[in-house]
């Protein structure tokens, strides 16, 4: 039986944080044997916000190395860089021309980011979800494992696929509408400074997040300073205790303990006793990943080879879909060759 296909990606905007890991990458790793996987570093998305050309390439390599350090296995997964496969840009243009503009200005992430960017909002930021749809549809992905914040973009991807098939498919499904894979726990990791806000790369305070490459003393400092509440005793699912819910969930996911186990263990504890446990769990679960990362990043020629091969293979698959789309849209091509 052929395996279902998975595609997902992360932007190379600085370091990865615990939200990216628990909401997305840990799920990719756990599911990778079951699927045929494509994981890209989405560097075209990275320039939809102001960026620094001096760090883009290095950040791209960092994210690729982190994928491998987190446990992405090249036996089951293809790792590649989005901009190395030009079909992503071309399909985006073709899909742009059939995506109604009012589907885009409704996107929650666009509204949030546009507010932050003020006068400098680019057309690229508005178009971000169409580029994401192109990423997914090029590979005819069945499943897209992402955090909860990407749900709306996935719905848009399905709508774009349906619209393309309806307008140009002549009764066939030429672009497969994907489904999102969103984890039950970890899909929305919250900020350490405010349990009602998502942990985010764009939060100006580094104390609001745990980055995967944070050293132990920094993790300790961040947990020591993180926001808690004055209520005695720790428990899940309590109204108005978002920080408690977030920190217990992190502890549960990092230790691999069940919710019941964590609830029993932490019920008698105060924050002063729980914080060292959480700190220890964070340091110990990130340590092996950080060691693997250091070894990988010290060998750029290996990473280059991985990405070179990945882009080649991804390009082969992407090209097939692009050809189908060009044919359906009626493009001219030299006689005997496909458009
Ligand atoms: P990015 O880099 O912003 O986020 C990468 C992944 O991390 C998840 N995530 C979170 N999960 C839980 N809690 C959080 N606080 C948290 N913050 C981020 C995101 O949901 C995402 O899964 N638009 C995508 C990148 C992308 C993509 C794609 C993904 C471009 N093309 C095609 C899938 C398929 C994004 O959010 O990147």
């Amino acid at each position: 039986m052929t395996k279902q296909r998975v595609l997902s990606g992360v932007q190379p905007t600085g370091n990865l944080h615990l939200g990216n890991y628990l909401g997305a990458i840990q799920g990719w790793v756990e599911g990778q044997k079951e699927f045929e996987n494509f994981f890209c570093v989405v560097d075209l998305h990275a320039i939809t916000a102001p960026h620094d050309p001096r760090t883009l390439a290095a950040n791209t390599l960092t994210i690729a190395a982190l994928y491998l350090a987190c446990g992405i296995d090249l036996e089951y997964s293809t790792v590649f860089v989005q901009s190395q496969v030009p079909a992503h840009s071309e399909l985006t243009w073709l899909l742009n021309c059939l995506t109604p503009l009012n589907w885009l200005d409704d996107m929650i992430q666009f509204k949030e980011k546009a507010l932050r960017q003020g006068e400098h909002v680019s057309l690229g930021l508005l178009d971000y979800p169409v580029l994401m749809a192109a990423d997914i549809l090029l590979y005819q992905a069945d499943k897209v494992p992402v955090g909860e914040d990407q749900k709306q973009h996935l719905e848009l991807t399905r709508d774009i696929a349906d619209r393309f098939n309806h307008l140009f498919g002549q009764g066939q499904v030429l672009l497969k509408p994907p489904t999102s894979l969103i984890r039950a726990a970890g899909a929305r990791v919250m900020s350490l400074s405010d349990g009602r806000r998502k942990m985010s790369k764009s939060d100006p305070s580094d104390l609001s997040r745990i980055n995967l490459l944070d050293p132990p003393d920094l993790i300790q400092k961040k947990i020591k300073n993180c926001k808690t509440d004055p209520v005695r005793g720790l428990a899940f699912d309590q109204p108005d205790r978002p920080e408690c819910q977030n920190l217990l969930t992190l502890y549960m996911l990092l230790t691999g303990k069940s919710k019941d186990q964590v609830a029993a263990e932490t019920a008698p504890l105060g924050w002063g006793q729980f914080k060292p446990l959480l700190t220890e769990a964070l340091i110990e679960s990130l340590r092996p990943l950080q060691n693997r990362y250091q070894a990988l990043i010290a060998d750029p020629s290996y990473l280059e080879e991985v990405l070179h091969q990945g882009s080649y293979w991804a390009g082969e698959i992407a090209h097939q879909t692009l050809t189908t789309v060009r044919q359906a849209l009626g493009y001219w091509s030299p006689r005997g060759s496909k458009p």
Side-chain angles (χ1 to χ4, degrees):
M1 216 180 75
T2 53
K3 289 179 172 178
Q4 286 203 321
R5 199 174 274 167
V6 151
L7 179 129
S8 199
V10 170
Q11 298 183 69
T13 35
N15 204 331
L16 292 190
H17 57 67
L18 210 54
N20 301 130
Y21 180 60
L22 298 174
I25 302 176
Q26 198 183 50
W28 307 354
V29 172
E30 283 171 9
Q32 67 182 328
K33 289 190 184 159
E34 197 187 324
F35 301 111
E36 181 194 6
N37 312 279
F38 290 84
F39 298 121
C40 57
V41 183
V42 293
D43 56 347
L44 296 172
H45 281 100
I47 66 164
T48 57
H51 85 290
D52 184 349
R54 290 168 302 184
T55 53
L56 182 60
N59 284 343
T60 301
L61 277 190
T62 295
I63 302 298
L66 277 171
Y67 284 0
L68 300 179
C70 289
I72 294 299
D73 184 339
L74 298 172
E75 198 181 328
Y76 307 103
S77 304
T78 299
V79 173
F80 69 103
V81 177
Q82 184 191 34
S83 67
Q84 291 293 302
V85 182
H88 290 247
S89 306
E90 186 171 344
L91 184 61
T92 302
W93 177 254
L94 301 177
L95 297 178
N96 275 340
C97 296
L98 58 100
T99 304
L101 191 56
N102 65 358
W103 286 8
L104 295 179
D105 49 18
D106 238 18
M107 294 286 111
I108 298 164
Q109 283 216 333
F110 171 70
K111 286 186 194 154
E112 285 172 0
K113 290 184 186 175
L115 213 60
R116 273 203 303 272
Q117 292 184 20
E119 284 176 13
H120 305 289
V121 179
S122 68
L123 197 52
L125 186 68
L126 184 67
D127 207 24
Y128 180 114
V130 183
L131 177 58
M132 182 163 161
D135 296 341
I136 298 165
L137 299 175
L138 271 178
Y139 299 88
Q140 308 283 1
D142 298 279
K143 303 247 180 328
V144 183
V146 282
E148 201 182 80
D149 59 350
Q150 296 303 305
K151 208 168 159 188
Q152 197 187 28
H153 289 163
L154 260 295
E155 280 158 15
L156 181 86
T157 302
R158 291 179 61 85
D159 288 345
I160 292 176
D162 287 342
R163 186 166 166 89
F164 180 87
N165 294 331
H166 173 71
L167 292 175
F168 304 106
Q170 298 185 358
Q172 282 181 286
V173 177
L174 300 182
L175 294 177
K176 187 184 279 186
T179 52
S180 51
L181 269 186
I182 297 179
R183 312 181 85 195
R188 196 170 174 80
V189 173
M190 308 311 277
S191 157
L192 297 181
S193 334
D194 179 352
R196 294 178 205 276
R197 275 206 333 258
K198 196 182 71 165
M199 185 177 284
S200 161
K201 289 176 201 167
S202 53
D203 191 315
S205 167
D206 191 54
L207 289 178
S208 69
R209 59 186 163 258
I210 301 284
N211 300 306
L212 297 190
L213 297 176
D214 281 347
D217 52 343
L218 186 56
I219 294 178
Q220 191 172 28
K221 177 176 163 201
K222 287 178 174 179
I223 296 302
K224 198 159 172 243
N225 287 303
C226 79
K227 186 169 178 226
T228 54
D229 58 32
V231 183
R232 283 184 67 85
L234 307 180
F236 284 103
D237 304 322
Q238 292 202 303
D240 300 325
R241 296 192 71 190
E243 286 81 19
C244 188
Q245 181 71 17
N246 188 41
L247 298 175
L248 291 190
T249 305
L250 289 184
Y251 184 65
M252 174 180 88
L253 292 170
L254 293 166
T255 56
K257 292 178 182 172
S258 70
K259 191 171 173 183
D260 287 346
Q261 279 173 317
V262 171
E265 183 185 349
T266 58
L269 305 183
W271 288 115
Q273 294 155 300
F274 174 68
K275 280 188 170 186
L277 291 180
L278 178 59
T279 304
E280 188 66 13
L282 277 163
I283 293 172
E284 288 315 315
S285 50
L286 293 182
R287 194 192 304 278
L289 183 162
Q290 294 180 347
N291 290 342
R292 282 195 295 272
Y293 171 81
Q294 293 307 342
L296 284 157
I297 208 70
D299 189 357
S301 51
Y302 171 71
L303 281 177
E304 264 167 38
E305 186 53 27
V306 167
L307 294 175
H308 179 69
Q309 286 191 11
S311 302
Y312 175 77
W313 178 233
E316 293 285 297
I317 310 275
H319 183 69
Q320 291 169 16
T321 305
L322 192 59
T323 303
T324 305
V325 169
R326 284 168 140 270
Q327 276 173 338
L329 292 175
Y331 273 93
W332 174 86
S333 66
R335 218 181 304 164
S337 74
K338 289 182 172 171

